[in-house]
Amino acid sequence: METRLIFLPVPADPPAIDADEIIPPGAPDPARKAPRSHPHSISAVLAHLLDNLFKIPGLGTRFGLDSILSLIPGVGGILSSVVGSVIIAEGAQKRLPVRLLARMVGNLGINSLLDMIPFAGSVLSIWFRSNQRNNELLQHHLKGHPNPPGTLQGRTLLAFIIGIPILCLLFYIGIAAGVYLTFRHLFGGH
């Protein structure tokens, strides 16, 4: 049996590898395009729509749909609170600590109380800007703490997301019932 050796030509100078071309394990390949991210989160978009959409000429003061919706008795405040609760739900989804979520719920609650005052509530809502405050709390926290421990998960998160709008609705129903009973008692109901 005869063995043959085959010699392949070897290049004189192997190609040099630039240190910038080395990709560490687990790092994304720069040749592949990264998925495009949305420039704004849903909370930033909602905060803009609800609190900063329009500008008052001459004053430079901004206001949004929250102030306009609160002019509609009953329904406007509820709708504004439900839409504003989406910002809180995003915070819960991004795993913010419960204390920060409670602060955001407090901001929304104050805004709901302000929205109950006819006409003056709309002006106060321009000043308070609960949705903008909540978005700023969310964004500020996410910059320094992308995945904090000890946060809401699973069923608790779902209950929180569903519970906020229901609590807002019950709050408005309770206030409306109280106003109705007060007027009935004062103006001739037996």
Side-chain angles (χ1 to χ4, degrees):
M1 190 160 151
E2 189 176 314
T3 308
R4 289 188 184 185
L5 294 175
I6 301 175
F7 292 99
L8 298 174
V10 177
D13 294 322
I17 298 175
D18 188 9
D20 293 335
E21 293 178 7
I22 298 174
I23 301 171
D29 185 356
R32 293 177 57 196
K33 289 189 176 184
R36 292 175 48 184
S37 61
H38 196 277
H40 299 290
S41 66
I42 189 70
S43 63
V45 171
L46 287 176
H48 177 75
L49 290 173
L50 291 171
D51 290 340
N52 297 316
L53 187 60
F54 307 106
K55 185 175 182 180
I56 300 172
L59 295 177
T61 303
R62 301 192 72 85
F63 68 99
L65 295 175
D66 180 34
S67 300
I68 296 169
L69 288 172
S70 67
L71 293 172
I72 304 168
V75 178
I78 293 171
L79 183 61
S80 177
S81 295
V82 169
V83 174
S85 70
V86 172
I87 298 171
I88 299 169
E90 183 178 351
Q93 181 185 22
K94 303 257 178 161
R95 305 176 141 220
L96 266 65
V98 175
R99 65 174 174 74
L100 190 56
L101 291 170
R103 188 171 167 193
M104 293 169 77
V105 169
N107 286 339
L108 187 63
I110 290 170
N111 190 62
S112 296
L113 287 173
L114 294 174
D115 283 348
M116 285 192 214
I117 305 168
F119 300 107
S122 292
V123 174
L124 293 172
S125 185
I126 292 171
W127 165 77
F128 188 66
R129 300 175 193 260
S130 67
N131 302 297
Q132 187 65 36
R133 288 174 188 243
N134 286 345
N135 179 53
E136 288 170 3
L137 287 171
L138 173 65
Q139 300 305 325
H140 176 73
H141 187 78
L142 290 178
K143 285 180 183 175
H145 305 86
N147 291 315
T151 56
L152 298 176
Q153 296 178 358
R155 290 184 182 174
T156 306
L157 176 62
L158 181 62
F160 191 79
I161 291 170
I162 293 171
I164 291 172
I166 291 173
L167 286 175
C168 290
L169 180 63
L170 291 174
F171 179 73
Y172 276 106
I173 290 171
I175 295 296
V179 168
Y180 170 75
L181 292 174
T182 301
F183 274 98
R184 185 174 168 201
H185 178 73
L186 291 174
F187 298 111
H190 291 297

